[in-house]
Amino acid sequence: MTAMTMGKSLNAALHTAMRRDERVLVMGEDVGRLGGVFRITEGLLDEFGAKRVIDTPLAEAGIMGTAVGLAMRGFRPVVEIQFDGFMYPAFDQLVCQVAKLHYRTLGRVKMPLTIRVPWAGGVGAAEHHSESPEAYFVHTAGLRVVAVSDPQDAYVMLQQAIASDDPVVFLEPKRLYHTKGEVDLDANLADAAPMGLARVARPGTDVTLVTYGGQVRTALDAAVAAEDEGVSIEVIDLRSISPIDYDTVDASVRRTGRLVVTHEAGREAGVGAEIVASVTERDFEYLESAPVRVTGHDVPYPPSKLEHSHIPDLDRILDGVDRALGRPNSLTGVAL
Amino acid sequence: MTAMTMGKSLNAALHTAMRRDERVLVMGEDVGRLGGVFRITEGLLDEFGAKRVIDTPLAEAGIMGTAVGLAMRGFRPVVEIQFDGFMYPAFDQLVCQVAKLHYRTLGRVKMPLTIRVPWAGGVGAAEHHSESPEAYFVHTAGLRVVAVSDPQDAYVMLQQAIASDDPVVFLEPKRLYHTKGEVDLDANLADAAPMGLARVARPGTDVTLVTYGGQVRTALDAAVAAEDEGVSIEVIDLRSISPIDYDTVDASVRRTGRLVVTHEAGREAGVGAEIVASVTERDFEYLESAPVRVTGHDVPYPPSKLEHSHIPDLDRILDGVDRALGRPNSLTGVAL
Amino acid sequence: MVYTLGAAADPATGTGRIHTLITAQGARVTDVDLDSYVADLTAKDLRELYRDMTLVRRIDSEGFSLQRQGQLGLWAPSLGQEAAQLGTARALRSDDFVFPSYRELGVVYARGATASDLVNTWRGERNSTYDPYEINTATMQIIIGAQTLHAVGYAMGIQRDGQDQVAVAYFGDGATSQGDVNEAMVFAASFGAPVVFVCQNNQWAISEPVGVQAAAPIAGRAPGFGIPSVRVDGNDVLACFAAMRWALSQARSGQGPVFIEAVTYRMGPHTTSDDPTKYRDEAELDLWRTRDPLARIETFLRSIGEFDDAFAAEVAAQADALGAEVRAACLSIANRAPIEVFDHVYAEPHSALERQRAQFAAYLAGFEEDAR
Amino acid sequence: MVYTLGAAADPATGTGRIHTLITAQGARVTDVDLDSYVADLTAKDLRELYRDMTLVRRIDSEGFSLQRQGQLGLWAPSLGQEAAQLGTARALRSDDFVFPSYRELGVVYARGATASDLVNTWRGERNSTYDPYEINTATMQIIIGAQTLHAVGYAMGIQRDGQDQVAVAYFGDGATSQGDVNEAMVFAASFGAPVVFVCQNNQWAISEPVGVQAAAPIAGRAPGFGIPSVRVDGNDVLACFAAMRWALSQARSGQGPVFIEAVTYRMGPHTTSDDPTKYRDEAELDLWRTRDPLARIETFLRSIGEFDDAFAAEVAAQADALGAEVRAACLSIANRAPIEVFDHVYAEPHSALERQRAQFAAYLAGFEEDAR
Ligand SMILES: Cc1ncc(C[n+]2csc(CCOP(=O)(O)OP(=O)(O)O)c2C)c(N)n1
Ligand SMILES: Cc1ncc(C[n+]2csc(CCOP(=O)(O)OP(=O)(O)O)c2C)c(N)n1
Ligand SMILES: [Mg+2]
Ligand SMILES: [Mg+2]
């Protein structure tokens, strides 16, 4: 076990994956000489050379579209989209090609792409640098979507994503890049939990708090704070948000009878809507109160000085927990 | 009142809107000389000339982006995206510019765009010509999204969308283009229901069936069929899916205690998820059974010969209604 | 320094010379740039190109009728573009990899697609028919321009594998307006990728004449990206073949991407859903009828005594047989079962979709029970 | 026929001549294409351009420090690009409409943005400061290349209004790879829209040298789209001014779009988040220091006796005052209230968002109560 930041563990994962399989390529803007604007690809160019670590022209559709061609040729491209907000120029290639080629070709053409995205807010960035577009990807059949929340998971799941024959959108919460944790660099992929499984990040009995990515830390903080008030929160880190591991969520909700979901993205047709809808369908008779969503507002991501009014923090989560528990909360007496 | 198809009523709406306001422009691929591949813009070039009816180069980002510039100059562009599946090249301009410019500029720059999209399936078309991407738009703050389901609504709502100072994604179900209905061409916009309001398309007492666009017809058919079996379905045509008129939905669900939502799009993080989640949050104590989603599968839109296994038909809706009513249904004894 | 084959030939008009080897009247003319690329071709080779074009035209008309008879969902005719398609595609090696659009019937035929493949793409049962890896040809692309980036990526892969295949992207004049196509040129030039761009400028993008897309000749765009280009008579199968050989020799020898504009004409409607009388004059069509790609090669071969009625009859008979084969292949294809909508979404097991599949299976089973 | 100003000046190298009027050594040289466009300029005009550039450089350094001191979220220096920005922007009419990117401090300054506007864009309180309609300048664009299409659309609007303004799009060398920028050229050429594309080729897109984006000179790309272009020394304020006047005269007189490549250099880091020592040599920077846009105009003016120490001191004092003004404007700006995240999402009432706003207000009110 080695203590390292998530940024470093992702970097280590890329090194490991590229050493293991020479068909793995890394490509994107500034991923080569600079090692990426977050240094996640640092050192790769030196070790693997420009044939495998490709500084591309500044065009996301071009990156995604050429990655499709490389995949057709039998490579396993790991694409970096520099920031979440720059996914959109590549959206057509992602939705119409990456997600659909396996289906279109009756399984003859595989798309083992990993699309790494420095993701979401909380780092005081400029416009378009703090987006949470994951619902778009979750709604897109043919894609898998995972979000990491700690260095060990990041290390293992990035390798799993690269090893997957399906396209995986791999979301890396920017605000956790510098968070440290213990990482087992010799972790055997075969022994690791599949990336599709959720993880109970903290057991609890009164309410189930489901989240993913950067919000996992905040949720855990909220659980600690709630404990002081005698409320026991079970925190579930989904890890995979497409597909979602409902078995783990069901098991918890059936015990607690109460559900709170939190994410940074806006609420309307977000991933939280999916979770609330599915849990309600699946566990209706177990629910003791209406599930609660604690999410970003349905506004464009605000200027950085206002972002802390947007990203649900510990207090907003606890307010949601109070609502789920039927305790007085900010919406007591307010129209929903 | 005049009997006409939805295609004709949309065409009439464009004529009316362009006569009323000379800042209204129509632009897109083949909208001029040809009058659009669905003939919705037929006759406009002859009446208004090439300055106002613009055959553009074949590039959707270009169409959307130049429409932004025209809007900044004070025009009201009505953009046609030829088919639903061709929205994606324009996604970046739509999400990062059209949806955000008013916010970015503190309200100084308005984006009175109407983005018309021949939408969804059921017409036996080739790949990419039958997509239901509406959840992407609903999840995008800054956009309004409406879906029409009959000629009269189409006539009025298209004019309302054009008159709106916000960008409106205007979804036209292709399979209803040829559906006829009575249209009041002299309808006074000021008297018409705002486009943000839902409509009870058919009153009922046992279960609330919420839908929009092309599925409204199918839902109404299902309601007729159910009546024969003694089940009274209330059908709600949302018309606007962003924002959603929850007052109308609440009122119904609070009476029936049961909710079924149907749409063609896939289920994961779809508009149905939003509706189920919101209704559960808002009306939890009124719900007598778990809400039910009857949607397209989470697969790429299938080849046309299989599309009728994808789009929820009358039988699948009634099966969902049975589920909501706790009657035997296809999922009795099947894991959710 | 960008090498542009013959681009400066007509600087006075700025339109760029259109390279031709066989004129519309069927006369062989000299082209210093292209002649050497077809010096080895025999009359027999030309007759085979005529045969190819005739067969493709026959499949095309069969496909058209099948659509009209409700057997196919749609048909996108290649009528008039046989020379551009066969001339370029016949210059390829089988291990080159082709990325066609929906209109490249002739290309896909030349790559080795079966009679069934050729029509059943439009049947609506499957989004694609042949296995791309069997004939080294991607599924015909419907999103305008998207495949050009795939071709460039594939070509980058060839470079990485140290091999000498070439990737080829086919697309139309309308496609040149798309960001993807321009980005494809940027990437191809940046990496010196072995890719050939073949733009069939058939004068129309549905109802829009090429002037809407391009204010200057399309072939002139590539050099600005650092890509040599040529403008060739797309109805002259020999010139197309020669231009493609030139392009392939460049790309195959490590000199990077090449761009071909084949100037041709879409003689039919855009697709069977289209009615071109709404937007174009019959006179224009008449003019292009005089430039028909099949007629001119026939005239030329006859003029040198290498084409007689017996040959014509033989090819016609073969075409009819192929037409019948295509028709049979279309009519005999089995329907897919409803549950197959779930097939091949993912390559690996997917918990949520398996659940949905099981639920739909249960739903379908209910009907079977009802039916019993 | 595409008219390319001076493009063929150096066909041997294919790199295209770089038009210069004042060399790096401060010498005035003749350029037959550009001279006439600055024939009316006086030494005083040049001094004012020097003043502009000096003031902008001062604001730039102030912004940089403010960021380092935690007062701004980010800063994207314009250091080294003052001539390209001021030279082109000062040729505009106030009723022309400009679409800048994040790096165009000098352009936005020239358009009339206040001291507060210039720094507070990066403060993180607001995504934009000035009212676009007050200074006929759009908010600085962050999505690479997106604004070029807005400029073309705006220009199409000018055409429709029958007026003679010009829309101007500013962007970088990296941006030329984006589909949007190429589509902008397609649309501009197709409609003959009065738009000027100004590409500041500052040699770098973050860590990538321009060669990654372009295998041929950027100015050479436009003619292929049917757009005349010029390649100008971007560190020569006079040449930039002249080139822009040429471009504007074309566009304003109904001759359609024009493309300018201003060859310059990003002397600072990409932004305050960047560390250029990771990817570029100090030697390169040293070379470009010898081509500094301010130094050369000063040398030239001194050589003709139109610049003395008193003038330099006066401008320096003005710059310091402006620096102080900028700093004060940054430090004094009021924070926005949390509830303002909901402002301006829609222009018209929106039921769902109003509900969310009320809920959040109730939530915030709870804290106020707690605080009481
Ligand atoms: C991204 C996208 N936009 C629009 C369309 C609709 N569409 C199909 S074919 C076509 C015209 C294509 O013209 P061109 O590129 O010249 O090819 P051609 O059909 O002439 O072979 C259009 C607009 C599409 N398929 N994809
Ligand atoms: C669509 C998009 N992709 C990526 C980025 C990230 N990014 C910001 S600036 C930049 C480099 C831009 O280079 P260039 O166009 O040369 O302009 P310069 O910064 O040199 O002025 C990149 C990659 C972005 N802002 N937008
Ligand atoms: Mg065409
Ligand atoms: Mg640059």
Side-chain angles (χ1 to χ4, degrees), chain B residues 259-282:
Chain B
L259 172 69
V260 175
V261 184
T262 183
H263 56 58
E264 283 186 44
R267 194 171 66 183
E268 293 286 309
V271 174
E274 175 56 37
I275 297 166
V276 168
S278 283
V279 167
T280 304
E281 285 164 358
R282 300 164 63 92

Side-chain angles (χ1 to χ4, degrees), chain D residues 37 40 61 68 99 103 149 339 348:
Chain D
Y37 289 97
D40 62 328
S61 70
R68 284 283 183 257
F99 294 80
R103 202 181 295 290
L149 283 167
I339 197 72
E348 299 183 359

Side-chain angles (χ1 to χ4, degrees), chain B residues 72-73, chain D residues 89-99 110-112 132-138 151 154-155 157-159 161-168 194 244 248 252:
Chain B
M72 289 187 71
R73 177 80 191 179
Chain D
R90 280 298 185 208
L92 291 165
R93 269 186 0 208
S94 70
D95 65 341
D96 293 329
F97 207 102
V98 173
F99 294 80
R111 298 300 290 164
Y133 296 113
E134 271 179 22
I135 60 171
N136 288 326
T137 303
Y154 192 94
I158 294 171
Q159 290 181 301
D161 287 337
Q163 302 203 352
D164 75 344
Q165 295 110 306
V166 174
V168 182
M244 191 67 178
L248 289 168
R252 212 182 290 294

Side-chain angles (χ1 to χ4, degrees), chain A residues 29 60 82 86, chain D residues 102-103 142 144 173-175 202 204-205 270:
Chain A
E29 295 156 10
E60 289 76 12
Q82 197 162 74
F86 312 143
Chain D
Y102 50 87
R103 202 181 295 290
I142 289 178
I144 298 294
D173 46 305
N202 66 3
W204 291 92
H270 171 67

Side-chain angles (χ1 to χ4, degrees), chain B residues 23 25 27 50-52 54-63 65-75 89 92-93 96-97 99 101-110 140-144 163-167 242-247 282, chain D residues 95 97 99 126-133 138-141 143-147 149-163 165 180 183-184 186-187 190-191 336 340-353 355 359:
Chain B
R23 303 305 278 178
L25 305 177
M27 57 195 291
K51 286 234 157 154
R52 295 184 61 198
I54 311 173
D55 267 332
T56 65
L58 205 179
E60 289 76 10
I63 298 170
T66 53
V68 167
L70 281 157
M72 289 187 71
R73 177 80 191 179
F75 289 90
D92 176 58
Q93 286 285 345
C96 295
Q97 309 299 332
L101 261 162
H102 191 260
Y103 194 71
R104 178 179 308 150
T105 62
L106 310 175
R108 287 144 173 170
V109 173
K110 295 199 169 44
T140 305
L143 301 178
R144 293 174 188 267
S164 170
D165 275 343
D166 289 317
S242 182
I244 289 172
D245 169 14
Y246 279 115
D247 292 341
R282 300 164 63 92
Chain D
D95 65 341
F97 207 102
F99 294 80
R126 292 169 180 78
N127 287 323
S128 64
T129 47
Y130 53 83
D131 181 337
Y133 296 113
T139 303
M140 291 170 138
Q141 181 61 246
I143 298 292
I144 298 294
Q147 76 280 12
L149 283 167
H150 307 169
V152 174
Y154 192 94
M156 290 166 64
I158 294 171
Q159 290 181 301
R160 277 155 183 78
D161 287 337
Q163 302 203 352
Q165 295 110 306
D180 276 12
E183 292 187 10
V186 169
F187 277 66
S190 182
F191 298 111
R336 292 173 77 197
E340 291 185 46
V341 291
F342 287 100
D343 288 357
H344 309 300
V345 182
Y346 296 94
E348 299 183 359
H350 188 281
S351 57
L353 202 65
R355 217 153 40 218
Q359 291 168 6

Side-chain angles (χ1 to χ4, degrees), chain C residues 103 172-174 200-206:
Chain C
R103 201 179 298 288
D173 47 305
Q200 284 170 77
N201 173 1
N202 66 3
Q203 312 301 321
W204 292 92
I206 309 186

Side-chain angles (χ1 to χ4, degrees), chain A residues 124 303-305, chain D residues 66 70-75 119-126 129 327 329-335:
Chain A
S304 58
K305 294 261 183 183
Chain D
L66 282 164
Q71 295 297 334
L72 298 178
L74 191 75
W75 188 256
V119 281
N120 286 321
T121 307
W122 299 107
R123 174 87 174 165
E125 292 282 352
R126 292 169 180 78
T129 47
R327 165 165 297 260
C330 175
L331 301 183
S332 67
I333 200 160
N335 288 347

Side-chain angles (χ1 to χ4, degrees), chain B residues 96-211:
Chain B
C96 295
Q97 309 299 332
V98 174
K100 293 191 172 69
L101 261 162
H102 191 260
Y103 194 71
R104 178 179 308 150
T105 62
L106 310 175
R108 287 144 173 170
V109 173
K110 295 199 169 44
M111 276 293 118
L113 261 70
T114 301
I115 299 145
R116 292 185 39 246
V117 191
W119 164 63
V123 297
E127 204 188 353
H128 311 292
H129 290 70
S130 305
E131 307 263 304
S132 290
E134 65 268 21
Y136 301 139
F137 313 135
V138 170
H139 186 58
T140 305
L143 301 178
R144 293 174 188 267
V145 188
V146 303
V148 293
S149 72
D150 80 39
Q152 175 69 38
D153 265 6
Y155 180 67
V156 172
M157 288 170 70
L158 182 49
Q159 293 179 66
Q160 291 171 324
I162 294 170
S164 170
D165 275 343
D166 289 317
V168 180
V169 178
F170 191 90
L171 302 170
E172 305 172 356
K174 287 187 280 284
R175 61 179 152 118
L176 297 188
Y177 271 145
H178 297 289
T179 310
K180 275 201 172 166
E182 292 294 323
V183 178
D184 176 5
L185 290 176
D186 305 316
N188 192 333
L189 276 201
D191 301 339
M195 68 179 177
L197 294 188
R199 177 176 70 97
V200 176
R202 179 188 167 104
T205 53
D206 297 335
V207 58
T208 302
L209 177 56
V210 173
T211 190

